[in-house]
Amino acid sequence: MTSNQQDNFDTSSIFDTGNDPFSTTEYSNEQSGNESPTLDFGHLDRINPLTIAPALGVYAPGYGNSPEYLFAEDYTDYRKKSWGEQLMYWTGVSYLSGAVTGGSYGCIEGLRTSSGKSWKLRVNAILNASGRRGAALANACGILALMFSGFESIYDHYLGDDTVYNYALAGISAGLVYKSTAGLKPASIYSASLGLAGVLGIYAARQGMYGRRLQTLV
């Protein structure tokens, strides 16, 4: 290639970035000789920091705010709570969930049973029903979560690996103990229900079947 061919060589097809908002470099097509290309720093505000995360400490959407690991067992060790942390976490979450759910149901029940009465009587009926339903369901959920977490920690300690059998056995055991005085049929129903909840709920979530965000939560 001659000197004239080098001077007339069009570099636009190589360095043309079109409408790329992340490009900060613009090359002149009218360069001559050995003149170096010029850098345009006037569009640095168009750089999206999420494209170079986490180098700047920014986490892109969809990647979560948790560290990344090469091996699954490293992430499991990081995510796994101790038996005390798990006991308090699940008991508290279940108690609050039961209180909110039961209180909401009690509010609807109070509105329905006090229809046609004065506003003062309706408020009183709503408060009574919400307190009764909310307290009952919160206590039940808290006790079941306490039993489930305890049994799951015991099975995990003695059976070893974090397998699906641990969650199934924990749910069955919690249901049997909770309804042991109510007869065989209620105990069987609670055992089957808690076993399915442990397998399809907690175990599946911890395995990432419902997304990474829920996996880091449980």
Side-chain angles (χ1 to χ4, degrees), residues 52-112:
I52 50 178
L56 298 179
V58 180
Y59 292 92
Y63 291 93
N65 293 328
S66 60
E68 299 292 336
Y69 293 90
L70 294 177
F71 304 102
E73 56 270 18
D74 295 335
Y75 174 74
T76 302
D77 293 338
Y78 161 78
R79 176 200 54 76
K80 184 69 175 179
K81 300 178 178 66
S82 65
W83 69 270
E85 293 173 339
Q86 181 171 274
L87 203 67
M88 291 184 291
Y89 176 78
W90 283 114
T91 302
V93 170
S94 300
Y95 186 89
L96 291 176
S97 300
V100 172
T101 304
S104 301
Y105 177 77
C107 180
I108 297 174
E109 183 183 33
L111 287 172
R112 185 175 61 251

CSV table of all heavy atoms in Angstrom, one decimal, residues 52-112:
chain,number,residue,atom,x,y,z
A,52,ILE,N,-20.3,-1.7,33.5
A,52,ILE,CA,-18.9,-2.0,34.0
A,52,ILE,C,-19.0,-2.4,35.5
A,52,ILE,O,-18.0,-2.5,36.1
A,52,ILE,CB,-17.9,-0.9,33.8
A,52,ILE,CG1,-18.5,0.4,34.4
A,52,ILE,CG2,-17.6,-0.7,32.4
A,52,ILE,CD1,-17.5,1.6,34.3
A,53,ALA,N,-20.2,-2.7,36.0
A,53,ALA,CA,-20.3,-3.2,37.4
A,53,ALA,C,-19.8,-4.6,37.5
A,53,ALA,O,-19.8,-5.3,36.5
A,53,ALA,CB,-21.8,-3.1,37.8
A,54,PRO,N,-19.3,-5.1,38.6
A,54,PRO,CA,-19.2,-4.4,39.9
A,54,PRO,C,-17.9,-3.6,40.1
A,54,PRO,O,-17.5,-3.5,41.3
A,54,PRO,CB,-19.4,-5.5,40.9
A,54,PRO,CG,-18.7,-6.7,40.2
A,54,PRO,CD,-19.0,-6.5,38.7
A,55,ALA,N,-17.2,-3.3,39.0
A,55,ALA,CA,-15.9,-2.6,39.2
A,55,ALA,C,-16.0,-1.3,40.0
A,55,ALA,O,-15.1,-0.9,40.7
A,55,ALA,CB,-15.3,-2.4,37.8
A,56,LEU,N,-17.2,-0.6,39.8
A,56,LEU,CA,-17.5,0.6,40.5
A,56,LEU,C,-18.3,0.4,41.7
A,56,LEU,O,-18.8,1.4,42.3
A,56,LEU,CB,-18.1,1.6,39.6
A,56,LEU,CG,-17.3,2.0,38.3
A,56,LEU,CD1,-18.1,3.0,37.5
A,56,LEU,CD2,-16.0,2.7,38.7
A,57,GLY,N,-18.5,-0.8,42.1
A,57,GLY,CA,-19.4,-1.1,43.3
A,57,GLY,C,-20.8,-1.0,43.0
A,57,GLY,O,-21.6,-0.8,43.9
A,58,VAL,N,-21.2,-1.0,41.7
A,58,VAL,CA,-22.6,-1.0,41.3
A,58,VAL,C,-23.0,-2.3,40.8
A,58,VAL,O,-22.3,-2.9,40.0
A,58,VAL,CB,-22.9,0.1,40.3
A,58,VAL,CG1,-24.3,0.2,39.9
A,58,VAL,CG2,-22.4,1.4,40.7
A,59,TYR,N,-24.2,-2.8,41.3
A,59,TYR,CA,-24.7,-4.1,40.8
A,59,TYR,C,-25.8,-3.9,39.8
A,59,TYR,O,-26.7,-3.2,40.1
A,59,TYR,CB,-25.2,-4.9,42.1
A,59,TYR,CG,-24.0,-5.4,43.0
A,59,TYR,CD1,-23.7,-4.6,44.1
A,59,TYR,CD2,-23.3,-6.5,42.7
A,59,TYR,CE1,-22.7,-4.9,44.9
A,59,TYR,CE2,-22.3,-6.9,43.6
A,59,TYR,CZ,-22.0,-6.1,44.7
A,59,TYR,OH,-20.9,-6.5,45.5
A,60,ALA,N,-25.6,-4.6,38.7
A,60,ALA,CA,-26.6,-4.5,37.7
A,60,ALA,C,-27.9,-5.2,38.0
A,60,ALA,O,-27.9,-6.2,38.8
A,60,ALA,CB,-26.1,-5.0,36.4
A,61,PRO,N,-29.1,-4.8,37.5
A,61,PRO,CA,-30.3,-5.4,37.8
A,61,PRO,C,-30.3,-6.9,37.3
A,61,PRO,O,-29.8,-7.2,36.3
A,61,PRO,CB,-31.4,-4.6,37.1
A,61,PRO,CG,-30.7,-3.3,36.9
A,61,PRO,CD,-29.3,-3.5,36.7
A,62,GLY,N,-30.9,-7.8,38.1
A,62,GLY,CA,-30.9,-9.2,37.8
A,62,GLY,C,-29.8,-10.0,38.3
A,62,GLY,O,-29.8,-11.2,38.3
A,63,TYR,N,-28.7,-9.3,38.9
A,63,TYR,CA,-27.6,-10.0,39.4
A,63,TYR,C,-27.6,-10.1,41.0
A,63,TYR,O,-26.8,-10.7,41.6
A,63,TYR,CB,-26.3,-9.4,39.0
A,63,TYR,CG,-26.0,-9.7,37.5
A,63,TYR,CD1,-26.4,-8.7,36.6
A,63,TYR,CD2,-25.4,-10.8,37.1
A,63,TYR,CE1,-26.2,-8.9,35.2
A,63,TYR,CE2,-25.2,-11.1,35.7
A,63,TYR,CZ,-25.6,-10.1,34.8
A,63,TYR,OH,-25.4,-10.3,33.5
A,64,GLY,N,-28.6,-9.3,41.6
A,64,GLY,CA,-28.7,-9.3,43.0
A,64,GLY,C,-27.6,-8.5,43.6
A,64,GLY,O,-26.7,-7.9,43.0
A,65,ASN,N,-27.6,-8.4,45.0
A,65,ASN,CA,-26.6,-7.7,45.7
A,65,ASN,C,-25.7,-8.6,46.5
A,65,ASN,O,-25.1,-8.2,47.5
A,65,ASN,CB,-27.3,-6.7,46.6
A,65,ASN,CG,-28.0,-5.6,45.9
A,65,ASN,OD1,-27.6,-5.2,44.8
A,65,ASN,ND2,-29.1,-5.1,46.4
A,66,SER,N,-25.6,-9.8,46.1
A,66,SER,CA,-24.8,-10.8,46.8
A,66,SER,C,-23.6,-11.2,46.0
A,66,SER,O,-23.6,-11.0,44.8
A,66,SER,CB,-25.6,-12.1,47.1
A,66,SER,OG,-26.0,-12.7,45.9
A,67,PRO,N,-22.5,-11.6,46.7
A,67,PRO,CA,-21.3,-12.0,46.0
A,67,PRO,C,-21.5,-13.2,45.0
A,67,PRO,O,-22.5,-14.0,45.2
A,67,PRO,CB,-20.3,-12.4,47.1
A,67,PRO,CG,-20.9,-11.8,48.3
A,67,PRO,CD,-22.4,-11.8,48.1
A,68,GLU,N,-20.7,-13.2,44.0
A,68,GLU,CA,-20.8,-14.3,43.1
A,68,GLU,C,-19.7,-15.4,43.5
A,68,GLU,O,-18.6,-15.1,44.0
A,68,GLU,CB,-20.5,-13.8,41.7
A,68,GLU,CG,-21.4,-12.8,41.2
A,68,GLU,CD,-22.8,-13.4,40.9
A,68,GLU,OE1,-22.9,-14.6,40.7
A,68,GLU,OE2,-23.8,-12.6,41.0
A,69,TYR,N,-20.1,-16.7,43.3
A,69,TYR,CA,-19.2,-17.8,43.6
A,69,TYR,C,-19.1,-18.7,42.4
A,69,TYR,O,-20.0,-18.9,41.6
A,69,TYR,CB,-19.8,-18.6,44.8
A,69,TYR,CG,-19.8,-17.8,46.1
A,69,TYR,CD1,-20.9,-17.0,46.4
A,69,TYR,CD2,-18.7,-17.8,46.9
A,69,TYR,CE1,-20.9,-16.3,47.6
A,69,TYR,CE2,-18.7,-17.1,48.1
A,69,TYR,CZ,-19.8,-16.3,48.5
A,69,TYR,OH,-19.8,-15.6,49.6
A,70,LEU,N,-17.9,-19.4,42.3
A,70,LEU,CA,-17.6,-20.3,41.2
A,70,LEU,C,-18.3,-21.6,41.4
A,70,LEU,O,-18.7,-22.2,40.5
A,70,LEU,CB,-16.1,-20.5,41.1
A,70,LEU,CG,-15.3,-19.2,40.7
A,70,LEU,CD1,-13.8,-19.6,40.6
A,70,LEU,CD2,-15.7,-18.7,39.3
A,71,PHE,N,-18.4,-22.0,42.7
A,71,PHE,CA,-18.9,-23.4,43.0
A,71,PHE,C,-20.2,-23.3,43.8
A,71,PHE,O,-20.3,-22.4,44.7
A,71,PHE,CB,-17.9,-24.2,43.7
A,71,PHE,CG,-16.6,-24.3,42.9
A,71,PHE,CD1,-15.5,-23.6,43.3
A,71,PHE,CD2,-16.4,-25.2,41.9
A,71,PHE,CE1,-14.3,-23.6,42.7
A,71,PHE,CE2,-15.2,-25.3,41.2
A,71,PHE,CZ,-14.2,-24.5,41.6
A,72,ALA,N,-21.1,-24.2,43.5
A,72,ALA,CA,-22.4,-24.1,44.2
A,72,ALA,C,-22.3,-24.3,45.7
A,72,ALA,O,-23.0,-23.7,46.5
A,72,ALA,CB,-23.3,-25.2,43.6
A,73,GLU,N,-21.3,-25.2,46.1
A,73,GLU,CA,-21.2,-25.5,47.6
A,73,GLU,C,-20.7,-24.2,48.3
A,73,GLU,O,-21.0,-24.1,49.5
A,73,GLU,CB,-20.2,-26.7,47.8
A,73,GLU,CG,-18.9,-26.5,47.2
A,73,GLU,CD,-18.8,-27.1,45.8
A,73,GLU,OE1,-19.9,-27.2,45.2
A,73,GLU,OE2,-17.7,-27.3,45.3
A,74,ASP,N,-19.9,-23.4,47.7
A,74,ASP,CA,-19.4,-22.2,48.3
A,74,ASP,C,-20.6,-21.2,48.6
A,74,ASP,O,-20.7,-20.6,49.6
A,74,ASP,CB,-18.4,-21.5,47.5
A,74,ASP,CG,-17.1,-22.3,47.3
A,74,ASP,OD1,-16.9,-23.1,48.2
A,74,ASP,OD2,-16.4,-22.1,46.3
A,75,TYR,N,-21.5,-21.1,47.6
A,75,TYR,CA,-22.6,-20.3,47.8
A,75,TYR,C,-23.6,-20.8,48.8
A,75,TYR,O,-24.2,-20.1,49.6
A,75,TYR,CB,-23.4,-20.1,46.5
A,75,TYR,CG,-24.7,-19.3,46.6
A,75,TYR,CD1,-24.7,-18.0,46.8
A,75,TYR,CD2,-25.9,-20.0,46.6
A,75,TYR,CE1,-25.8,-17.3,46.9
A,75,TYR,CE2,-27.1,-19.3,46.7
A,75,TYR,CZ,-27.0,-17.9,46.9
A,75,TYR,OH,-28.2,-17.2,47.1
A,76,THR,N,-23.7,-22.2,48.9
A,76,THR,CA,-24.6,-22.8,49.9
A,76,THR,C,-24.0,-22.5,51.3
A,76,THR,O,-24.8,-22.2,52.2
A,76,THR,CB,-24.7,-24.3,49.6
A,76,THR,OG1,-25.2,-24.5,48.3
A,76,THR,CG2,-25.6,-25.0,50.7
A,77,ASP,N,-22.7,-22.6,51.5
A,77,ASP,CA,-22.1,-22.3,52.8
A,77,ASP,C,-22.4,-20.9,53.2
A,77,ASP,O,-22.6,-20.5,54.3
A,77,ASP,CB,-20.7,-22.6,52.8
A,77,ASP,CG,-20.4,-24.1,52.6
A,77,ASP,OD1,-21.3,-24.9,52.9
A,77,ASP,OD2,-19.3,-24.5,52.2
A,78,TYR,N,-22.3,-20.0,52.2
A,78,TYR,CA,-22.5,-18.5,52.5
A,78,TYR,C,-23.9,-18.3,52.8
A,78,TYR,O,-24.2,-17.5,53.8
A,78,TYR,CB,-22.1,-17.7,51.3
A,78,TYR,CG,-22.6,-16.3,51.3
A,78,TYR,CD1,-22.1,-15.3,52.0
A,78,TYR,CD2,-23.7,-16.0,50.5
A,78,TYR,CE1,-22.6,-14.0,52.0
A,78,TYR,CE2,-24.3,-14.7,50.5
A,78,TYR,CZ,-23.7,-13.8,51.3
A,78,TYR,OH,-24.2,-12.5,51.3
A,79,ARG,N,-24.9,-18.9,52.1
A,79,ARG,CA,-26.3,-18.6,52.3
A,79,ARG,C,-26.9,-19.3,53.5
A,79,ARG,O,-27.8,-18.8,54.2
A,79,ARG,CB,-27.1,-19.1,51.1
A,79,ARG,CG,-28.6,-18.9,51.2
A,79,ARG,CD,-29.3,-19.8,50.2
A,79,ARG,NE,-28.9,-21.1,50.3
A,79,ARG,CZ,-29.3,-21.9,51.3
A,79,ARG,NH1,-30.1,-21.5,52.2
A,79,ARG,NH2,-28.9,-23.2,51.3
A,80,LYS,N,-26.3,-20.5,53.9
A,80,LYS,CA,-26.9,-21.3,54.9
A,80,LYS,C,-26.8,-20.6,56.3
A,80,LYS,O,-25.8,-20.2,56.7
A,80,LYS,CB,-26.2,-22.6,55.0
A,80,LYS,CG,-26.9,-23.6,56.0
A,80,LYS,CD,-28.2,-24.1,55.5
A,80,LYS,CE,-28.7,-25.1,56.5
A,80,LYS,NZ,-30.1,-25.6,56.1
A,81,LYS,N,-28.0,-20.4,56.9
A,81,LYS,CA,-28.0,-19.8,58.2
A,81,LYS,C,-27.7,-20.9,59.3
A,81,LYS,O,-28.0,-22.1,59.1
A,81,LYS,CB,-29.4,-19.2,58.5
A,81,LYS,CG,-29.8,-18.1,57.6
A,81,LYS,CD,-31.2,-17.6,57.9
A,81,LYS,CE,-31.7,-16.5,57.0
A,81,LYS,NZ,-31.8,-17.0,55.6
A,82,SER,N,-27.2,-20.4,60.4
A,82,SER,CA,-27.0,-21.4,61.6
A,82,SER,C,-28.4,-21.8,62.1
A,82,SER,O,-29.4,-21.2,61.8
A,82,SER,CB,-26.2,-20.7,62.6
A,82,SER,OG,-26.9,-19.6,63.2
A,83,TRP,N,-28.4,-22.8,63.0
A,83,TRP,CA,-29.7,-23.3,63.5
A,83,TRP,C,-30.4,-22.2,64.3
A,83,TRP,O,-31.6,-22.1,64.3
A,83,TRP,CB,-29.5,-24.5,64.3
A,83,TRP,CG,-28.8,-24.3,65.6
A,83,TRP,CD1,-27.4,-24.3,65.9
A,83,TRP,CD2,-29.4,-24.0,66.9
A,83,TRP,NE1,-27.2,-24.0,67.2
A,83,TRP,CE2,-28.4,-23.8,67.8
A,83,TRP,CE3,-30.7,-23.8,67.3
A,83,TRP,CZ2,-28.6,-23.5,69.2
A,83,TRP,CZ3,-31.0,-23.5,68.6
A,83,TRP,CH2,-29.9,-23.4,69.5
A,84,GLY,N,-29.6,-21.4,65.1
A,84,GLY,CA,-30.2,-20.3,65.8
A,84,GLY,C,-30.8,-19.2,65.0
A,84,GLY,O,-31.9,-18.7,65.2
A,85,GLU,N,-30.0,-18.8,64.0
A,85,GLU,CA,-30.5,-17.8,63.0
A,85,GLU,C,-31.8,-18.2,62.3
A,85,GLU,O,-32.7,-17.5,62.1
A,85,GLU,CB,-29.4,-17.4,62.1
A,85,GLU,CG,-28.2,-16.7,62.7
A,85,GLU,CD,-27.1,-16.5,61.7
A,85,GLU,OE1,-27.0,-17.3,60.7
A,85,GLU,OE2,-26.2,-15.7,62.0
A,86,GLN,N,-31.7,-19.5,61.8
A,86,GLN,CA,-32.9,-20.0,61.1
A,86,GLN,C,-34.1,-20.1,62.0
A,86,GLN,O,-35.2,-19.8,61.6
A,86,GLN,CB,-32.5,-21.4,60.6
A,86,GLN,CG,-33.6,-22.0,59.8
A,86,GLN,CD,-33.2,-23.3,59.1
A,86,GLN,OE1,-32.6,-23.2,58.0
A,86,GLN,NE2,-33.4,-24.4,59.7
A,87,LEU,N,-33.9,-20.5,63.3
A,87,LEU,CA,-35.0,-20.6,64.2
A,87,LEU,C,-35.7,-19.3,64.4
A,87,LEU,O,-36.9,-19.1,64.3
A,87,LEU,CB,-34.5,-21.2,65.5
A,87,LEU,CG,-35.5,-21.9,66.4
A,87,LEU,CD1,-36.0,-23.1,65.8
A,87,LEU,CD2,-34.9,-22.1,67.8
A,88,MET,N,-34.9,-18.2,64.7
A,88,MET,CA,-35.5,-16.9,64.9
A,88,MET,C,-36.0,-16.3,63.6
A,88,MET,O,-37.1,-15.6,63.7
A,88,MET,CB,-34.4,-16.0,65.5
A,88,MET,CG,-34.0,-16.4,66.9
A,88,MET,SD,-32.8,-15.2,67.7
A,88,MET,CE,-31.4,-15.5,66.7
A,89,TYR,N,-35.4,-16.5,62.5
A,89,TYR,CA,-35.8,-15.9,61.3
A,89,TYR,C,-37.2,-16.5,60.8
A,89,TYR,O,-38.1,-15.7,60.6
A,89,TYR,CB,-34.8,-16.2,60.2
A,89,TYR,CG,-35.1,-15.7,58.8
A,89,TYR,CD1,-35.0,-14.3,58.5
A,89,TYR,CD2,-35.6,-16.6,57.8
A,89,TYR,CE1,-35.4,-13.9,57.2
A,89,TYR,CE2,-36.0,-16.1,56.6
A,89,TYR,CZ,-35.8,-14.8,56.3
A,89,TYR,OH,-36.2,-14.3,55.0
A,90,TRP,N,-37.3,-17.8,60.8
A,90,TRP,CA,-38.5,-18.4,60.3
A,90,TRP,C,-39.7,-18.2,61.3
A,90,TRP,O,-40.8,-18.0,60.9
A,90,TRP,CB,-38.3,-19.8,60.0
A,90,TRP,CG,-37.6,-20.1,58.7
A,90,TRP,CD1,-36.4,-20.6,58.5
A,90,TRP,CD2,-38.1,-19.7,57.4
A,90,TRP,NE1,-36.1,-20.6,57.2
A,90,TRP,CE2,-37.1,-20.1,56.5
A,90,TRP,CE3,-39.3,-19.1,56.9
A,90,TRP,CZ2,-37.2,-19.9,55.1
A,90,TRP,CZ3,-39.4,-18.9,55.5
A,90,TRP,CH2,-38.4,-19.3,54.7
A,91,THR,N,-39.4,-18.2,62.6
A,91,THR,CA,-40.4,-18.0,63.6
A,91,THR,C,-40.9,-16.6,63.5
A,91,THR,O,-42.2,-16.4,63.5
A,91,THR,CB,-39.9,-18.3,65.0
A,91,THR,OG1,-39.4,-19.6,65.0
A,91,THR,CG2,-41.0,-18.1,66.0
A,92,GLY,N,-40.0,-15.6,63.4
A,92,GLY,CA,-40.5,-14.2,63.3
A,92,GLY,C,-41.3,-13.9,62.0
A,92,GLY,O,-42.3,-13.3,62.0
A,93,VAL,N,-40.7,-14.4,60.8
A,93,VAL,CA,-41.4,-14.2,59.6
A,93,VAL,C,-42.8,-14.9,59.6
A,93,VAL,O,-43.8,-14.3,59.1
A,93,VAL,CB,-40.5,-14.7,58.4
A,93,VAL,CG1,-41.3,-14.7,57.1
A,93,VAL,CG2,-39.3,-13.9,58.3
A,94,SER,N,-42.9,-16.1,60.1
A,94,SER,CA,-44.1,-16.8,60.1
A,94,SER,C,-45.1,-16.1,61.0
A,94,SER,O,-46.3,-16.0,60.7
A,94,SER,CB,-43.9,-18.3,60.5
A,94,SER,OG,-43.1,-18.9,59.6
A,95,TYR,N,-44.7,-15.7,62.2
A,95,TYR,CA,-45.6,-15.0,63.1
A,95,TYR,C,-46.2,-13.7,62.5
A,95,TYR,O,-47.4,-13.5,62.6
A,95,TYR,CB,-44.8,-14.7,64.4
A,95,TYR,CG,-45.7,-14.2,65.5
A,95,TYR,CD1,-46.3,-15.0,66.4
A,95,TYR,CD2,-45.9,-12.8,65.7
A,95,TYR,CE1,-47.2,-14.5,67.4
A,95,TYR,CE2,-46.7,-12.3,66.6
A,95,TYR,CZ,-47.3,-13.2,67.5
A,95,TYR,OH,-48.2,-12.7,68.5
A,96,LEU,N,-45.3,-12.9,61.9
A,96,LEU,CA,-45.8,-11.7,61.3
A,96,LEU,C,-46.7,-12.0,60.1
A,96,LEU,O,-47.7,-11.3,59.9
A,96,LEU,CB,-44.6,-10.8,60.9
A,96,LEU,CG,-43.7,-10.2,62.0
A,96,LEU,CD1,-42.5,-9.5,61.4
A,96,LEU,CD2,-44.6,-9.3,62.8
A,97,SER,N,-46.4,-13.0,59.3
A,97,SER,CA,-47.2,-13.3,58.2
A,97,SER,C,-48.6,-13.8,58.7
A,97,SER,O,-49.6,-13.4,58.1
A,97,SER,CB,-46.6,-14.4,57.3
A,97,SER,OG,-45.3,-13.9,56.8
A,98,GLY,N,-48.6,-14.6,59.7
A,98,GLY,CA,-49.9,-15.0,60.3
A,98,GLY,C,-50.7,-13.9,60.8
A,98,GLY,O,-51.9,-13.9,60.7
A,99,ALA,N,-50.0,-13.0,61.5
A,99,ALA,CA,-50.7,-11.9,62.1
A,99,ALA,C,-51.4,-11.0,61.0
A,99,ALA,O,-52.5,-10.6,61.2
A,99,ALA,CB,-49.8,-11.0,63.0
A,100,VAL,N,-50.6,-10.7,60.0
A,100,VAL,CA,-51.2,-9.9,58.9
A,100,VAL,C,-52.3,-10.6,58.2
A,100,VAL,O,-53.4,-10.0,57.9
A,100,VAL,CB,-50.1,-9.5,57.9
A,100,VAL,CG1,-50.6,-8.8,56.7
A,100,VAL,CG2,-49.0,-8.6,58.6
A,101,THR,N,-52.1,-11.9,57.9
A,101,THR,CA,-53.2,-12.6,57.1
A,101,THR,C,-54.4,-12.8,58.0
A,101,THR,O,-55.6,-12.6,57.6
A,101,THR,CB,-52.6,-14.0,56.7
A,101,THR,OG1,-51.4,-13.9,56.0
A,101,THR,CG2,-53.7,-14.8,55.9
A,102,GLY,N,-54.2,-13.2,59.3
A,102,GLY,CA,-55.4,-13.4,60.1
A,102,GLY,C,-56.1,-12.1,60.5
A,102,GLY,O,-57.3,-12.0,60.5
A,103,GLY,N,-55.3,-11.0,60.6
A,103,GLY,CA,-55.9,-9.7,60.9
A,103,GLY,C,-56.7,-9.2,59.7
A,103,GLY,O,-57.8,-8.6,59.9
A,104,SER,N,-56.2,-9.5,58.5
A,104,SER,CA,-57.0,-9.1,57.3
A,104,SER,C,-58.3,-9.9,57.2
A,104,SER,O,-59.3,-9.3,56.8
A,104,SER,CB,-56.1,-9.3,56.0
A,104,SER,OG,-54.9,-8.5,56.1
A,105,TYR,N,-58.2,-11.2,57.4
A,105,TYR,CA,-59.4,-12.0,57.4
A,105,TYR,C,-60.4,-11.6,58.4
A,105,TYR,O,-61.6,-11.5,58.2
A,105,TYR,CB,-59.0,-13.5,57.5
A,105,TYR,CG,-60.2,-14.4,57.6
A,105,TYR,CD1,-60.9,-14.7,56.4
A,105,TYR,CD2,-60.7,-14.9,58.8
A,105,TYR,CE1,-62.0,-15.5,56.4
A,105,TYR,CE2,-61.8,-15.7,58.8
A,105,TYR,CZ,-62.5,-16.1,57.6
A,105,TYR,OH,-63.6,-16.9,57.7
A,106,GLY,N,-59.9,-11.2,59.6
A,106,GLY,CA,-60.8,-10.8,60.7
A,106,GLY,C,-61.4,-9.5,60.4
A,106,GLY,O,-62.6,-9.2,60.7
A,107,CYS,N,-60.7,-8.6,59.7
A,107,CYS,CA,-61.3,-7.3,59.3
A,107,CYS,C,-62.4,-7.5,58.3
A,107,CYS,O,-63.5,-6.9,58.4
A,107,CYS,CB,-60.2,-6.4,58.6
A,107,CYS,SG,-60.8,-4.8,58.1
A,108,ILE,N,-62.3,-8.4,57.3
A,108,ILE,CA,-63.3,-8.7,56.4
A,108,ILE,C,-64.5,-9.3,57.1
A,108,ILE,O,-65.7,-9.0,56.9
A,108,ILE,CB,-62.8,-9.6,55.3
A,108,ILE,CG1,-61.7,-8.9,54.5
A,108,ILE,CG2,-63.9,-10.1,54.4
A,108,ILE,CD1,-61.0,-9.8,53.5
A,109,GLU,N,-64.2,-10.2,58.1
A,109,GLU,CA,-65.3,-10.9,58.8
A,109,GLU,C,-66.0,-9.9,59.7
A,109,GLU,O,-67.3,-10.0,59.8
A,109,GLU,CB,-64.7,-12.0,59.7
A,109,GLU,CG,-65.7,-12.8,60.5
A,109,GLU,CD,-65.0,-13.8,61.4
A,109,GLU,OE1,-63.9,-13.5,61.9
A,109,GLU,OE2,-65.6,-14.9,61.6
A,110,GLY,N,-65.3,-9.0,60.3
A,110,GLY,CA,-66.0,-7.9,61.1
A,110,GLY,C,-66.9,-7.0,60.3
A,110,GLY,O,-68.0,-6.7,60.7
A,111,LEU,N,-66.4,-6.7,59.1
A,111,LEU,CA,-67.3,-5.9,58.2
A,111,LEU,C,-68.5,-6.6,57.8
A,111,LEU,O,-69.6,-6.0,57.7
A,111,LEU,CB,-66.4,-5.4,57.0
A,111,LEU,CG,-65.4,-4.4,57.2
A,111,LEU,CD1,-64.5,-4.2,56.0
A,111,LEU,CD2,-66.0,-3.0,57.6
A,112,ARG,N,-68.4,-7.9,57.5
A,112,ARG,CA,-69.5,-8.7,57.1
A,112,ARG,C,-70.5,-8.9,58.2
A,112,ARG,O,-71.7,-8.8,57.9
A,112,ARG,CB,-69.0,-10.0,56.5
A,112,ARG,CG,-70.1,-10.8,55.9
A,112,ARG,CD,-69.6,-12.1,55.2
A,112,ARG,NE,-69.0,-13.0,56.2
A,112,ARG,CZ,-67.7,-13.2,56.3
A,112,ARG,NH1,-66.9,-12.6,55.4
A,112,ARG,NH2,-67.1,-14.0,57.2
